[in-house]
Amino acid sequence: MGKIIAIANQKGGVGKTTTTVNLAASLAIAEKKTLVLDFDPQGNASSAFGIDRSQIGSRGTIYQALIGQTQVADVIQPTEMDCLFVAPATSDLAGAEIELVGAFAREGKLKAALSEIQREYDFILIDCPPSLGLLTINALTAAHSFLVPLQCEYFALEGLTQLLHTVSLIRQNLNPDLKEEGIVLTMYDSRNNLANEVVKEVRTHFQEKVFKTVVPRNVRLSECSSFGKPIVLYDIDSKGCLAYLNLAKEVLARNQDQLLLAESQRTSLGKQPVRSEGWVGHS
């Protein structure tokens, strides 16, 4: 069964979509079948894979799947990478928050939709919108864990407190099994004293929940999305790519037992297991 990770932070501009796209691509390089679910009405993750949102047409988006007009499997599109797929979004998704207000079991719509395809993937990464509204609540209800990109600046810590409060409420009422995948520090500038203080404070407070990998400020990371490519296809030798390859290695290590279980289940169902022995990440 695929691991569903909600990548969430209600503060915008912290590297959330960049982390979703490039972590997914790095997992795909490791031959883990990965789906990016663009759950942000801005559709930035879709654009980062080169999808022209104006040309999606009758195939539909995650919006149609969420409101029951189609199946998630029907909206999934391939990318340039063999093991990487995307369920795109457009601005129509913003209407879902209003349409679902009066719906029965509204917080569980995404969970129900993903149940049909979950076993087909090793990882499903949900790029949440920069808010704590109904879309993010749906994502956290559907997820097994959540990953928080945290910008290395002072006010980022305030947003993290709000997110963790929301997670606590979701655990109490909707998804008691929701775990912390971890916190990844982003947009780090080693020359900035405040950034170094934030890193120190976050590691002291959250300890092993913080990934060892720190994503630096990197021009190539900023450029690659505008070219519709993840960083591994745009500049694999850049510092930004190095960081996300290392982050993927950490995520794989944290999920080793579940991945082995998923492979054994695929084998028992007569499917060929996906292997990653040939992948050598940067160290």
Side-chain angles (χ1 to χ4, degrees):
M1 183 174 290
K3 176 74 174 285
I4 303 175
I5 304 175
I7 299 182
N9 191 325
Q10 80 278 15
K11 188 176 185 298
V14 299
K16 179 178 54 61
T17 298
T18 298
T19 294
T20 305
V21 168
N22 292 298
L23 173 58
S26 298
L27 291 170
I29 282 214
E31 297 184 354
K32 298 303 176 187
K33 190 176 180 183
T34 303
L35 170 66
V36 170
L37 196 154
D38 190 349
F39 215 48
D40 185 345
Q42 297 178 80
N44 291 334
S46 304
S47 299
F49 287 114
I51 294 175
D52 185 347
R53 288 170 286 163
S54 66
Q55 303 297 320
I56 290 175
S58 60
R59 187 165 192 167
T61 67
I62 193 62
Y63 165 71
Q64 280 79 25
L66 190 66
I67 65 174
Q69 288 184 353
T70 188
Q71 306 295 314
V72 174
D74 294 332
V75 308
I76 293 172
Q77 298 191 27
T79 69
E80 293 182 67
M81 302 178 70
D82 290 341
C83 292
L84 184 58
F85 301 82
V86 59
T90 64
S91 58
D92 289 345
L93 185 58
E97 295 231 34
I98 299 172
E99 293 181 47
L100 293 177
V101 165
F104 175 74
R106 61 186 182 182
E107 298 90 354
K109 292 295 185 182
L110 182 61
K111 181 176 182 178
L114 291 179
S115 65
E116 302 168 1
I117 61 156
Q118 187 175 337
R119 291 185 179 275
E120 299 178 22
Y121 297 90
D122 293 301
F123 290 97
I124 298 175
L125 305 187
I126 307 174
D127 184 31
C128 297
S131 70
L132 294 177
L134 191 53
L135 291 177
T136 298
I137 291 171
N138 258 266
L140 292 171
T141 301
H144 297 113
S145 66
F146 65 98
L147 186 153
V148 184
L150 188 69
Q151 188 177 1
C152 295
E153 63 172 35
Y154 175 74
F155 289 113
L157 298 175
E158 291 185 358
L160 179 59
T161 301
Q162 294 173 337
L163 175 62
L164 295 179
H165 176 67
T166 299
V167 167
S168 176
L169 294 175
I170 288 174
R171 282 175 175 152
Q172 292 174 35
N173 299 286
L174 298 166
N175 186 0
D177 298 322
L178 182 63
K179 304 289 193 302
E180 299 105 342
E181 191 68 32
I183 297 169
V184 58
L185 295 160
T186 62
M187 301 183 179
Y188 173 67
D189 183 349
S190 61
R191 299 166 298 178
N192 187 315
N193 290 333
L194 179 58
N196 289 310
E197 286 298 316
V198 170
V199 171
K200 181 179 178 181
E201 185 173 346
V202 172
R203 290 200 185 281
T204 298
H205 187 72
F206 293 100
Q207 299 180 9
E208 74 279 355
K209 294 177 183 177
V210 185
F211 288 101
K212 294 178 181 177
T213 300
V214 177
V215 180
R217 287 191 178 276
N218 183 245
V219 173
R220 305 300 273 175
L221 271 179
S222 302
E223 291 175 348
C224 66
S225 294
S226 63
F227 285 87
K229 294 179 182 293
I231 191 65
V232 295
L233 297 181
Y234 184 70
D235 187 353
I236 199 168
D237 294 319
S238 66
K239 292 181 178 180
C241 186
L242 170 66
Y244 280 111
L245 288 172
N246 283 330
L247 179 62
K249 289 168 71 175
E250 288 194 68
V251 170
L252 289 171
R254 293 187 180 196
N255 290 279
Q256 184 175 16
D257 291 342
Q258 182 171 331
L259 289 167
L260 290 173
L261 177 61
E263 284 198 358
S264 68
Q265 289 174 341
R266 271 196 295 266
T267 303
S268 67
L269 292 172
K271 296 181 180 181
Q272 186 67 27
V274 179
R275 302 191 179 279
S276 60
E277 286 88 339
W279 178 65
V280 180
H282 291 65
S283 59

